[in-house]
Amino acid sequence: SQTIHQWPATLVQPVGSPLSLECTVEGTSNPNLYWYRQAAGRGLQLLFYSVGIGQISSEVPQNLSASRPQDRQFILSSKKLLLSDSGFYLCAWKSRDVLNSPLHFGNGTRLTVT
Amino acid sequence: KQEVTQIPAALSVPEGENLVLNCSFTDSAIYNLQWFRQDPGKGLTSLLLIQSSQREQTSGRLNASLDKSSGRSTLYIAASQPGDSATYLCAVRVSNAGGTSYGKLTFGQGTILTVHP
């Protein structure tokens, strides 16, 4: 069966510090991968998606970047965090090979920038 | 631009009640619609996925319907239990003739459900 792992679960970082959140998927190959952010009262916002190694598409201009160094690994990064980067970050995957496959989410990372 | 709205924003019911959560979307050209459940501080769990050609999907006590032409979906929960307490989100995948939507979903703000004993 497929599983998705995100870490860390919680993170408190000072303004101006770097960020690296990691997400890995097991039990599937060639998935589409996504980073969403959920801010209080604002719903889920798609930040990045990837359809293959090294292929990253950004949905909104921001202080963050994403990378996909391996087929089942997706990393969210920032060189210098802003207060507005605080939020709940969710990684998700879906099968590219199965028509109408659902989106599956990790447990998320709660990021607080102080 | 697709917009998804969920009503009500919050709902509190006694255990055992049947209830309906509503979701509406502005662009009827969707590929599918998915209902999720989110427990506090956790990720989203997929409940049901309805393809654009389908009218409803069922899983246990859950039944989701889709009326694409009117831009609406409902999630029906039968015989609610305290364990059903969570935030329920609906999301639509926009249809793209070129197949380049890449599975991106647009989410509603969610309905916070509380089922009290």
Side-chain angles (χ1 to χ4, degrees):
Chain A
S1 64
Q2 303 92 353
T3 56
I4 178 169
H5 302 279
Q6 264 190 264
W7 65 93
T10 60
L11 192 59
V12 180
Q13 293 282 103
V15 168
S17 63
L19 172 74
S20 181
L21 303 181
E22 190 160 342
C23 170
T24 59
V25 181
E26 296 178 0
T28 187
S29 59
N30 221 21
N32 284 354
L33 296 172
Y34 308 83
W35 278 111
Y36 282 86
R37 176 169 60 201
Q38 188 175 35
R42 293 189 60 184
L44 273 86
Q45 180 186 36
L46 179 63
L47 303 176
F48 300 95
Y49 67 92
S50 171
V51 299
I53 296 174
Q55 300 179 59
I56 309 295
S57 295
S58 174
E59 287 293 292
V60 292
Q62 58 207 308
N63 183 43
L64 303 169
S65 62
S67 61
R68 184 171 177 174
Q70 300 180 45
D71 181 47
R72 289 171 288 176
Q73 183 184 28
F74 206 21
I75 298 172
L76 184 69
S77 305
S78 174
K79 292 182 179 177
K80 289 185 178 182
L81 284 168
L82 306 172
L83 285 174
S84 58
D85 291 325
S86 294
F88 192 46
Y89 289 83
L90 291 154
C91 180
W93 75 273
K94 74 177 290 296
S95 170
R96 200 184 316 165
D97 300 325
V98 177
L99 194 64
N100 271 305
S101 64
L103 195 64
H104 301 280
F105 283 84
N107 279 329
T109 295
R110 173 75 57 191
L111 172 66
T112 304
V113 182
T114 59
Chain B
K1 178 187 172 186
Q2 178 73 269
E3 292 182 4
V4 181
T5 304
Q6 290 187 246
I7 294 172
L11 183 63
S12 180
V13 301
E15 182 176 6
E17 272 203 9
N18 301 325
L19 53 98
V20 175
L21 307 181
N22 297 291
C23 172
S24 61
F25 45 94
T26 54
D27 186 347
S28 62
I30 65 168
Y31 196 72
N32 60 47
L33 182 145
Q34 201 167 346
W35 281 94
F36 296 88
R37 167 189 173 131
Q38 185 176 28
D39 293 297
K42 299 293 186 182
L44 279 69
T45 300
S46 177
L47 297 174
L48 291 164
L49 182 149
I50 311 177
Q51 300 175 34
S52 61
S53 58
Q54 297 175 324
R55 298 285 291 184
E56 65 177 344
Q57 282 284 342
T58 299
S59 176
R61 293 183 295 108
L62 305 179
N63 176 278
S65 67
L66 174 65
D67 184 342
K68 198 173 75 163
S69 61
S70 67
R72 287 187 289 190
S73 175
T74 60
L75 179 66
Y76 175 82
I77 303 177
S80 59
Q81 304 170 358
D84 295 330
S85 299
T87 298
Y88 290 81
L89 297 113
C90 75
V92 297
R93 178 180 169 185
V94 177
S95 177
N96 184 300
T100 56
S101 70
Y102 301 117
K104 294 181 287 183
L105 301 183
T106 301
F107 283 83
Q109 296 273 14
T111 294
I112 302 171
L113 173 65
T114 303
V115 181
H116 47 88

